[in-house]
Amino acid sequence: MKLQMLGTGSAFAKTFYNNNALVYANGCTLLVDCGITAPAALHALGKTPDDIDALLVTHIHGDHIGGLEEIAFRMRFQYHRKPLLYVPEVLAAPLWENALKGGLYQDELPGLEDYFEIRLMKEGNEYEPIPGLSVEIMQTPHIPNKDSFSLYMNRHLFYSADMRFNSELLHKLVEERGCDTILHDCQFINPGVVHASLDDLLTLPEPIQRRVWLMHYADDQPNFIGKTGLMRFVEQQRLYDESELAEIN
Ligand SMILES: [Zn+2]
Ligand SMILES: [Zn+2]
């Protein structure tokens, strides 16, 4: 498996694209989240929506789903196909009713399933959105009463959706589930109310920090290079092999 962040920016970053990821396995491509900047970020990589086999949504915020309208229209009318859309079961109705329906609804296209092959996901199950990639969803705290799901890929790589700091979960993943790679959202200002702050993450013990890659960061990220303990920054649009990410720092 290889991973390439389409973007690594925070919700309002302007010098980085939205924090969305391309995951490649066996010649297929999964797009994890599709924010407002995703179509432009794909274009910057020389790719089109037609290069995507499946999509997965972690939660409903513009930097994670704001590009889905364009992708849906272009898949339907430009490429004439329905990609797979993996969505946590509880998000399927609000994704359509509260987010996408306004733009995508047409008399002959009245639902999300007219644009995507929907695959509902539940916690505790393992899915294979593209061959050779297993994904489990884990509900993690972000905004009160707003569902958000982090991912556990290939039984060793944790990919945080936007989430508040949860030391207990990170300890459990590393100590009980063999997690060797943690891609985590990170904000530089305190307190970390809806994301983990850098200062929160710096409280993690060294063995965990060595596994952490920081993402979803603000435009002033260059000021923090060298100030993240043993944690590394993920660079947007750089292609990483799964094994490279798993190398302990
Ligand atoms: Zn976000
Ligand atoms: Zn969010």
Side-chain angles (χ1 to χ4, degrees):
M1 181 260 266
K2 291 183 194 298
L3 182 139
Q4 183 174 36
M5 299 302 296
L6 258 192
T8 51
S10 64
F12 311 131
K14 295 294 173 281
T15 55
F16 301 108
Y17 295 114
N18 295 154
N19 199 85
N20 307 155
L22 292 167
V23 184
Y24 309 102
N26 291 310
C28 293
T29 302
L30 169 72
L31 175 59
V32 176
D33 286 332
C34 180
I36 295 158
T37 65
L42 273 177
H43 183 74
L45 276 176
K47 295 179 185 290
T48 74
D50 203 27
D51 292 313
I52 296 166
D53 300 289
L55 299 94
L56 187 155
V57 166
T58 64
H59 70 291
I60 301 179
H61 268 156
D63 57 321
H64 298 266
I65 57 129
L68 277 177
E69 178 178 314
E70 175 173 336
I71 300 295
F73 275 137
R74 291 178 65 191
M75 287 291 194
R76 172 87 197 187
F77 295 110
Q78 189 176 3
Y79 304 112
H80 310 287
R81 65 186 187 87
K82 265 193 202 182
L84 291 163
L85 176 64
Y86 282 78
V87 58
E89 192 171 33
V90 295
L91 294 182
L95 178 62
W96 178 252
E97 293 294 333
N98 304 345
L100 297 176
K101 186 178 177 182
L104 289 176
Y105 179 90
Q106 300 183 9
D107 285 343
E108 67 281 14
L109 301 168
L112 194 57
E113 62 281 1
D114 296 303
Y115 292 93
F116 298 100
E117 290 291 341
I118 312 283
R119 297 286 183 274
L120 299 176
M121 306 174 86
K122 283 184 185 170
E123 274 188 293
N125 292 349
E126 203 168 56
Y127 299 88
E128 194 174 15
I130 53 175
L133 174 74
S134 71
V135 177
E136 182 188 328
I137 57 170
M138 297 178 184
Q139 184 146 20
T140 44
H142 180 29
I143 308 277
N145 298 314
K146 190 169 172 69
D147 296 308
S148 180
F149 295 86
S150 294
L151 310 178
Y152 199 47
M153 298 188 205
N154 284 354
R155 300 184 186 183
H156 74 99
L157 185 153
F158 179 75
Y159 179 100
S160 78
D162 296 354
M163 64 179 277
R164 303 180 63 157
F165 184 56
N166 187 338
S167 171
E168 196 184 334
L169 173 65
L170 300 178
H171 273 271
K172 198 172 165 185
L173 286 166
V174 170
E175 290 153 18
E176 296 172 24
R177 298 202 54 191
C179 175
D180 57 21
T181 309
I182 297 168
L183 282 90
H184 211 296
D185 57 316
C186 172
Q187 68 172 51
F188 299 127
I189 49 172
N190 289 311
V193 177
V194 300
H195 296 285
S197 74
L198 176 57
D199 285 341
D200 289 334
L201 291 161
L202 281 167
T203 66
L204 290 167
E206 288 194 359
I208 297 185
Q209 283 192 33
R210 288 179 191 282
R211 295 165 159 83
V212 173
W213 295 82
L214 303 172
M215 58 182 188
H216 205 289
Y217 41 73
D219 289 323
D220 55 348
Q221 178 262 353
N223 299 339
F224 293 88
I225 293 170
K227 298 177 182 169
T228 60
L230 292 165
M231 301 179 286
R232 291 162 279 187
F233 282 113
V234 196
E235 292 170 35
Q236 70 178 18
Q237 309 226 332
R238 177 172 158 190
L239 187 62
Y240 294 89
D241 192 84
E242 186 175 12
S243 61
E244 182 185 355
L245 291 168
E247 276 170 22
I248 303 296
N249 189 19

